[in-house]
Amino acid sequence: MPQRELARGRHRLARICIVSLALLSLAAILIGFIWLPSAQADFSAGTMWNSICRAAGVPSTWGERDVTRATATVASDVILTPGMRRAAPAAAVGRGATLALNCTMCHGAQGMSRSNAPNLAGQYPEVIIKQLSDYKSGKRASPIMAALSRNLSADNINDLAAYYASLPKARTAPTTYDETLPALVRVGAPMRNIAPCISCHGGVDQKLGAPWLEGMPKDYLVQQLQLFQHGERRNDGLLQMRNVAHAMTPQEIDSVATFYARKALPVAQ
Ligand code: HEC
Ligand code: HEC
């Protein structure tokens, strides 16, 4: 008799275990595959297979490249090469000078702006080539510059870059490293992933494609940093400037712009 009681007791225990295991599994499936994914902002009611893949951290499409996303995130069509920095022949500079007559109204007679347009004098040739090509392809948005670059050929763009690069005496002196530079310019903010400006824009290192900033009009600098910050300007390869501007406060944007614009020409009223 006690033997049979014991056997029945074990039987019931086993049944309780199985039922609770089943309930637990069901709850885990609901939480893991339905509730948690749906609580994420980018959830879209996809197939069960997608939810399972998501929950397991596995891509739902194997080996298939998402072409639309890949092309949408290409910042620029221009591939920068050190050869773009090489001094151009005098004939190119001459042709560029003629083309640049269309640009003086905003960028100044010698490429030094007295409006809020950027200076072009002494700008690195690869910067001018890249920016003009980006306006032309629409990778950098500006109604004015889109219209002005539309009819420029690749040769025209190279000639303009050669001309402006040949005017280094007009541009403002470069920043040299010293302890008095603003902290963000000199050391960045490592805790917020902001690299120092002088590690790309000259002072410590000058990266290919990073523009000459000294003497640019302050309003232009503020505007560009804000555009990068809001992702409205996105022609910077590898998100270089969007990552820098992302974490900056309005006061910091104002202070680095004031610093780089300290030797800008006064803006004509
Ligand atoms: C009507 C005024 C105007 C004229 C004319 C003009 N620009 Fe511009 N340019 C601007 C403005 C404003 C910007 C900044 C636009 C922006 O926010 O991206 C700019 C930006 C640029 C830049 C980007 C510079 C940088 O540091 O990123 C280049 C390069 C440039 N212009 C070249 C030219 C050339 C070459 C011509 C002549 C063929 C020309 N521009 C004519 C107003 C003008
Ligand atoms: C990792 C390198 C890097 C760092 C660090 C960096 N920049 Fe840049 N910056 C670039 C590059 C590259 C571009 C050109 C992007 C493009 O191709 O359009 C640029 C463009 C800019 C422009 C637009 C200029 C123009 O004429 O178009 C401004 C303004 C600027 N940077 C300011 C800053 C400031 C201020 C800092 C420091 C707080 C900084 N950058 C730090 C690489 C850098």
Side-chain angles (χ1 to χ4, degrees):
M1 196 58 178
Q3 280 278 359
R4 279 233 313 267
E5 282 276 281
L6 203 62
R8 208 182 301 147
R10 269 207 213 119
H11 209 73
R12 203 184 310 144
L13 192 67
R15 218 166 38 211
I16 291 172
C17 284
I18 290 170
V19 170
S20 19
L21 195 67
L23 284 176
L24 202 69
S25 308
L26 188 70
I29 286 172
L30 286 176
I31 292 176
F33 293 150
I34 312 285
W35 183 65
L36 279 184
S38 71
Q40 287 173 20
D42 58 345
F43 175 76
S44 65
T47 60
M48 187 66 184
W49 176 241
N50 279 346
S51 306
I52 292 172
C53 290
R54 266 182 87 105
V58 174
S60 52
T61 48
W62 285 99
E64 218 180 88
R65 242 176 97 245
D66 186 345
V67 180
T68 48
R69 265 188 66 196
T71 46
T73 52
V74 170
S76 170
D77 301 329
V78 181
I79 296 163
L80 295 171
T81 62
M84 291 177 177
R85 276 259 171 115
R86 242 172 265 139
V93 175
R95 287 191 301 268
T98 309
L99 289 164
L101 294 173
N102 296 322
C103 323
T104 52
M105 185 171 76
C106 303
H107 293 286
Q110 284 290 304
M112 290 300 286
S113 169
R114 284 190 180 274
S115 65
N116 283 323
N119 299 333
L120 301 177
Q123 187 55 275
Y124 302 106
E126 87 278 5
V127 169
I128 305 246
I129 294 172
K130 178 174 186 294
Q131 299 306 325
L132 281 176
S133 309
D134 286 350
Y135 285 127
K136 191 176 166 174
S137 68
K139 293 287 185 188
R140 179 173 174 188
S142 158
I144 296 174
M145 286 309 304
L148 284 156
S149 57
R150 191 171 300 137
N151 296 323
L152 295 176
S153 68
D155 284 343
N156 292 159
I157 289 178
N158 288 340
D159 292 346
L160 281 161
Y163 167 66
Y164 283 115
S166 76
L167 303 173
K169 291 206 184 69
R171 77 183 172 196
T172 314
T175 296
T176 46
Y177 183 91
D178 77 61
E179 299 292 319
T180 64
L181 298 180
L184 218 49
V185 172
R186 188 167 51 93
V187 289
M191 297 300 285
R192 288 182 291 149
N193 256 331
I194 304 179
C197 318
I198 55 171
S199 66
C200 292
H201 287 282
V204 169
D205 196 3
Q206 214 293 313
K207 298 271 161 64
L208 199 66
W212 186 281
L213 298 180
E214 281 79 10
M216 288 276 194
K218 182 181 168 189
D219 285 358
Y220 172 73
L221 294 171
V222 169
Q223 178 205 40
Q224 295 304 311
L225 288 168
Q226 287 172 343
L227 291 173
F228 281 126
Q229 182 166 57
H230 301 134
E232 287 161 47
R233 177 169 170 187
R234 28 178 196 273
N235 66 328
D236 54 329
L238 304 172
L239 302 162
Q240 290 182 94
M241 273 313 296
R242 277 170 286 174
N243 283 339
V244 167
H246 177 73
M248 288 173 75
T249 64
Q251 291 76 20
E252 286 172 334
I253 288 184
D254 191 82
S255 77
V256 293
T258 304
F259 170 75
Y260 277 112
R262 69 199 183 284
K263 290 180 197 150
L265 296 181
V267 171
Q269 295 305 316

